Amino acid sequence: MNKTIRRASIFSLLLVLAVMVRVTWMQAVDGRALADDKHNRRNIIAQYANPLGDIVVGGKPVTGSTTTNGGDLRYKRTYTGGGLYSAVTGYSSQVYGATQLEGIYRGILGGTDPRLKSLPDSLTGKATEPGDVITTIDPAVQQAAFKGLGDKKGAAVAIDPATGRILGMVSTPSYDPSKISGGSKADGAAWSALQADKDQPMLNRALRAAYPPGSTFKLVVAAAALENGLYSSIDEKTVSPNPYPLPGTSRELVNESASAPCENASINTALQYSCNNVFGKMAVDLGQDKVRAAAEKFGFNTDSLDIPVRAAKSVYPKGMDKAQTALSGIGQFDDTATPLQMAMVVAALANGGELASPHMVSQVTDGNGTVLQSYPDGESSRAVSADTAAKLRKAMVNVVDNGTGSNAKISGVEVGGKTGTAQHGENNSGTPYAWFVSYADDGKGHQVAVAVVVEQSDAVRSEVSGNGLAAPIARAMMKAALKTG
């Protein structure tokens, strides 16, 4: 082969290689970028060209699909039960995108996830049958929470302490995702109304609203005191003047009831009567670093708590002076917690001090029911020792049997709880919140942990009661979880 032909051959080969590299780049990189572009209408058309897969609760789908009245989007999403499951499913809309489980598993539910395609389908580009998302939600617990909250503004979460399975998650006021799933004028009007609603029905308060936890946080402070040896028994008297002078200020930390036996009260008595002076002083005695370390073992200050929907961060603050540390010890100052976070605290105590990773999806399957991905139970971390957990469960039972949590009692079942009231704003003058956190154990191997918060924007602080507003909701959820009738 002469030199000219050889050079021409090499040049031609380089051109072919260059074309192959460019085509591969366009398919693998530019093509994927185009496919992921939210403004690419071809993606929306493909998403709604066929019925979507389903989100399943208790073995039954709570979602569906229906044909549209024309246009290039053949189907739209439907939802069973209106707003009952919106805090779980989120929404899937032809116009406004998708959120929560609908958004996270959009590829599975729309049939575009590569795991759904067989090799022949991948080669031919044939449309694949969508998959399903199987949740851990118990419909009876969900119904109990939704009915209990009713027209109140608030949220409720129930967790199986041993497995971390989320059995119920409700946020109210709720909304019907079906009304915004299409592209009609009615859907647009419904969307605008939801966005303008001052009560924020589209806010998932169970996961995304972080409230001051109030007296429910006293469980964390008590755990820190026992774990760090500040006190060795829940019946040991503390050193707690009543009222407690806040260090470095002229203010005093007082209690709701002037007649409560809170001076130098034991942890058991202090939880029973929710003594602010005891836990404010206890937080100062421990120091903020030890309280923070205890809180973080329960999940506070975690930036990426995914269940798989990401929860808002629950915060125990840094850089406080002693007076602020005292207020943080009673769940005020800059403490914040989601209902999910407080359910995790109680779940860990109910589970012998082990915090099982919370999750609300158990499996993702293809259209034939073949499991593509599982989320196993049991992954856990130790929040407190088994001894500390047992002591605090005993104290929580005393709160229900003899203290401020009487409305959570269930006949024949061990129930432990803690009430809480809190406020945001300057001098705690903002919206008052009523909390109740609890666990129930039927003695037959079945447990449930619950957190309920109720916002009372039109009530004065003295009229807000965790026992009156939140405990009956928690009781109904616990009964539903344990199937106690």
Side-chain angles (χ1 to χ4, degrees):
M1 182 182 295
N2 63 39
K3 186 181 295 185
T4 302
I5 295 175
R6 185 169 60 252
R7 289 177 175 174
S9 298
I10 294 172
F11 181 69
S12 298
L13 178 60
L14 291 174
L15 288 177
V16 171
L17 290 174
V19 170
M20 292 176 65
V21 169
R22 180 57 182 160
V23 169
T24 302
W25 179 268
M26 289 179 65
Q27 290 180 332
V29 180
D30 291 344
R32 178 167 295 181
L34 182 61
D36 292 340
D37 187 352
K38 65 181 180 180
H39 300 297
N40 183 356
R41 186 161 178 79
R42 292 177 62 186
N43 290 336
I44 303 298
I45 294 172
Q47 180 80 12
Y48 296 101
N50 300 290
L52 301 174
D54 285 313
I55 297 172
V56 179
V57 172
K60 297 180 180 180
V62 296
T63 56
S65 298
T66 187
T67 55
T68 60
N69 295 324
D72 53 7
L73 304 179
R74 293 181 59 194
Y75 290 88
K76 71 173 184 176
R77 193 51 134 174
T78 60
Y79 296 85
T80 301
L84 175 61
Y85 293 106
S86 64
V88 175
T89 62
Y91 61 81
S92 181
S93 169
Q94 294 177 348
V95 177
Y96 306 110
T99 61
Q100 297 196 180
L101 295 187
E102 290 277 31
I104 291 171
Y105 296 106
R106 194 166 189 171
I108 290 288
L109 297 169
T112 60
D113 191 293
R115 292 174 293 176
L116 296 169
K117 289 183 179 291
S118 64
L119 181 58
D121 289 342
S122 298
L123 294 174
T124 62
K126 179 183 176 182
T128 56
E129 187 176 354
D132 297 325
V133 177
I134 315 301
T135 74
T136 62
I137 300 296
D138 182 326
V141 177
Q142 190 79 3
Q143 287 275 5
F146 193 68
K147 180 179 179 181
L149 282 166
D151 59 2
K152 302 178 184 70
K153 190 187 299 184
V157 176
I159 299 176
D160 181 330
T163 65
R165 294 185 178 189
I166 295 175
L167 305 177
M169 187 170 68
V170 169
S171 174
T172 56
S174 188
Y175 68 100
D176 183 355
S178 296
K179 294 184 177 180
I180 58 171
S181 64
S184 68
K185 289 183 178 179
D187 290 275
W191 175 267
S192 296
L194 288 169
Q195 296 299 302
D197 193 328
K198 62 180 177 60
D199 288 333
Q200 297 180 280
M202 299 184 78
L203 171 64
N204 187 341
R205 289 174 164 83
L207 293 181
R208 300 299 305 168
Y211 301 91
S215 292
T216 62
F217 191 75
K218 292 171 182 174
L219 293 171
V220 177
V221 179
L226 294 170
E227 288 287 279
N228 286 281
L230 180 63
Y231 298 103
S232 60
S233 165
I234 61 170
D235 295 314
E236 177 185 352
K237 282 192 174 296
T238 65
V239 180
S240 311
N242 182 25
Y244 171 55
L246 291 174
T249 76
S250 58
R251 295 176 57 195
E252 293 180 326
L253 193 56
V254 299
N255 297 300
E256 290 291 318
S257 172
S259 62
C262 289
E263 184 171 358
N264 300 327
S266 66
I267 289 174
N268 196 22
T269 298
L271 286 173
Q272 177 183 347
Y273 290 94
S274 202
C275 299
N276 291 333
N277 65 305
V278 173
F279 292 100
K281 173 71 160 43
M282 194 177 293
V284 172
D285 290 344
L286 284 165
Q288 60 182 290
D289 291 343
K290 289 181 179 179
V291 178
R292 185 181 310 105
E296 288 177 352
K297 288 183 177 180
F298 286 108
F300 281 81
N301 296 333
T302 300
D303 291 316
S304 55
L305 178 58
D306 300 325
I307 64 163
V309 180
R310 179 157 294 184
K313 184 177 180 179
S314 297
V315 175
Y316 183 79
K318 293 183 178 180
M320 298 177 286
D321 61 28
K322 288 187 176 181
Q324 293 165 340
T325 300
L327 293 174
S328 78
I330 63 169
Q332 292 284 180
F333 187 56
D334 287 341
D335 296 11
T336 61
T338 64
L340 172 65
Q341 174 61 73
M342 293 314 301
M344 290 166 59
V345 170
V346 180
L349 297 177
N351 193 38
E354 287 280 343
L355 176 59
S357 180
H359 56 287
M360 67 173 175
V361 172
S362 59
Q363 293 179 337
V364 175
T365 67
D366 66 14
N368 297 317
T370 302
V371 177
L372 302 176
Q373 187 173 3
S374 292
Y375 300 86
D377 304 327
E379 181 181 346
S380 62
S381 60
R382 181 154 291 283
V384 295
S385 69
D387 181 62
T388 292
K391 289 173 179 175
L392 289 179
R393 286 198 304 272
K394 181 180 177 181
M396 291 173 70
V397 170
N398 185 45
V399 169
V400 172
D401 288 348
N402 305 301
T404 58
S406 59
N407 284 339
K409 290 181 182 179
I410 301 174
S411 178
V413 175
E414 178 184 300
V415 178
K418 182 68 191 81
T419 56
T421 51
Q423 287 177 274
H424 263 153
E426 185 72 21
N427 297 319
N428 294 327
S429 60
T431 300
Y433 307 111
W435 280 93
F436 192 75
V437 298
S438 60
Y439 78 91
D441 187 331
D442 67 0
K444 303 173 184 177
H446 304 112
Q447 291 182 315
V448 62
V450 172
V452 178
V453 64
V454 177
E455 300 180 28
Q456 290 291 296
S457 58
D458 57 349
V460 296
R461 173 66 177 80
S462 61
E463 296 173 352
V464 177
S465 162
N467 190 43
L469 292 170
I473 302 168
R475 179 177 183 271
M477 294 171 69
M478 292 186 291
K479 291 186 68 175
L482 299 181
K483 317 293 190 232
T484 61

